[in-house]
Amino acid sequence: MSINQILKDLREDNDLKQIDIANILYITQQTYSNYENAKSEIPISHLIKLAEFYNVSTDFLLGRTTYKYNLNSLNKILINNITYGE
């Protein structure tokens, strides 16, 4: 899957509009629309900010993996599922 489709899917899954994400990135809605429509490449700084916002890895955003979670999320999942005394 392409980065533009991943960005769109994440935004829609979170019931957000393009303007909502544009405001997070301090850009115009049109600029963000260009990212989703593959008319412009997304800068690395925006990619990182979106990964943090959605709590996913940059590899997921780039389509390099289908595993969503970033390392911090994975650590929380693992810590919450640890049982002691077994």
Side-chain angles (χ1 to χ4, degrees), residues 35-51:
Y35 297 161
E36 282 193 6
N37 293 309
K39 292 180 181 176
S40 298
E41 287 191 20
I42 184 168
I44 292 172
S45 60
H46 290 172
L47 182 76
I48 292 168
K49 192 162 196 152
L50 289 174

Side-chain angles (χ1 to χ4, degrees), residues 35-81:
Y35 297 161
E36 282 193 6
N37 293 309
K39 292 180 181 176
S40 298
E41 287 191 20
I42 184 168
I44 292 172
S45 60
H46 290 172
L47 182 76
I48 292 168
K49 192 162 196 152
L50 289 174
E52 290 171 350
F53 175 76
Y54 288 122
N55 203 26
V56 297
S57 70
T58 53
D59 277 348
F60 177 78
L61 290 180
L62 293 169
R64 294 175 45 112
T65 182
T66 57
Y67 190 73
K68 267 186 171 177
Y69 299 106
N70 62 24
L71 187 57
N72 289 335
S73 297
L74 182 57
N75 282 338
K76 287 178 187 175
I77 292 168
L78 292 173
I79 289 170
N80 289 334
N81 289 319

Side-chain angles (χ1 to χ4, degrees), residues 11 15-25 29 53:
R11 179 180 57 77
D15 297 321
L16 297 168
K17 297 182 182 332
Q18 286 184 345
I19 191 67
D20 299 323
I21 303 303
N23 288 336
I24 290 166
L25 298 175
Q29 181 273 327
F53 175 76

